[in-house]
């Protein structure tokens, strides 16, 4: 009888898969603490959003743009070449091609969207507390969903076996 692995181990294995997967995980994991902290100071009872909130959000956004460009440069030369191993299961190359295509598509979207978000958020005044609160709430939900999708992808790549205890056959 084998024991199930903890969820944190599954997350660690997700981080080790590809540069794009690591970027998506870091993006989600860095969004959560910033968004939760921002939610505390952007509730509708406040009159202004503190400058440190705006500057930390700007810093994270600029860091994510840099990380996305770096990941794109790592991913682009490899292209959509399948990884063929002697011990690979049937259909493994097809699944890997699908994952690589989805990762490249998401990287392209991020390279277009991050600068657009940066340009759209720069002129927003600090007195729009409701807007900043809604943006923080959406960022928190997006980070939680992204982590959930990464874990689901990891579990489905294992055939769902990573989170189950298998009994004797």
């Amino acid at each position: 009888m084998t024991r199930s692995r903890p969820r944190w181990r599954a997350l660690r294995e997700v981080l080790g898969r590809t540069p794009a997967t690591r970027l998506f995980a870091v993006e989600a994991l860095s969004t959560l603490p910033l968004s939760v902290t921002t939610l505390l100071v952007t509730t509708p009872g406040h009159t202004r959003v503190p400058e440190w909130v705006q500057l930390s959000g700007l810093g994270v956004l600029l860091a994510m743009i840099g990380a996305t460009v770096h990941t794109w440069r790592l991913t682009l030369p490899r292209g959509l070449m399948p990884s063929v191993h002697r011990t690979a299961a049937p259909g493994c190359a097809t699944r890997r091609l699908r994952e690589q295509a989805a990762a490249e598509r998401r990287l392209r979207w991020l390279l277009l969207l991050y600068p657009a978000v940066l340009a759209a958020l720069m002129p927003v005044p600090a007195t729009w507390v409701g807007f900043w609160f809604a943006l923080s709430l959406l960022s928190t939900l997006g980070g939680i969903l992204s982590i959930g999708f990464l874990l689901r992808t990891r579990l489905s790549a294992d055939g769902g076996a990573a989170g189950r205890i298998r009994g004797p056959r």
Side-chain angles (χ1 to χ4, degrees):
M1 177 184 244
T2 61
R3 294 173 27 177
S4 68
R5 292 177 283 178
R7 295 279 183 201
W8 63 268
R9 190 172 287 170
L11 184 61
R12 189 178 71 193
E13 289 174 10
V14 166
L15 291 175
R17 292 185 74 171
T18 63
T21 306
R22 283 191 296 271
L23 173 73
F24 304 148
V26 167
E27 176 186 33
L29 292 172
S30 66
T31 299
L32 285 178
L34 177 67
S35 299
V36 170
T37 306
T38 304
L39 279 173
L40 299 174
V41 295
T42 59
T43 54
H46 291 85
T47 57
R48 275 183 83 77
V49 176
E51 287 184 16
W52 66 266
V53 170
Q54 295 176 346
L55 289 175
S56 61
L58 177 66
V60 167
L61 190 59
L62 289 173
M64 288 284 93
I65 290 172
T68 304
V69 169
H70 177 70
T71 304
W72 176 257
R73 290 183 64 204
L74 288 175
T75 305
L76 189 64
R78 294 182 188 166
L80 293 176
M81 302 301 291
S83 168
V84 180
H85 295 65
R86 293 179 192 181
T87 60
C92 183
T94 304
R95 186 179 72 233
R96 185 167 168 91
L97 282 174
R98 231 182 340 215
E99 288 176 3
Q100 286 179 353
E104 286 188 12
R105 188 172 38 253
R106 186 169 177 186
L107 286 171
R108 279 193 301 267
W109 275 108
L110 288 176
L111 284 173
L112 292 173
L113 290 178
Y114 275 151
V117 167
L118 182 65
L121 291 180
M122 288 300 279
V124 175
T127 55
W128 289 14
V129 176
F131 172 78
W132 289 110
F133 177 76
L135 184 65
S136 299
L137 188 63
L138 287 174
S139 296
T140 304
L141 293 174
I144 291 170
L145 285 173
S146 186
I147 290 172
F149 287 141
L150 285 170
L151 288 175
R152 188 191 71 180
T153 301
R154 172 67 188 127
L155 291 175
S156 67
D158 271 355
R164 278 192 243 147
I165 299 174
R166 291 186 181 201
R169 291 185 180 207

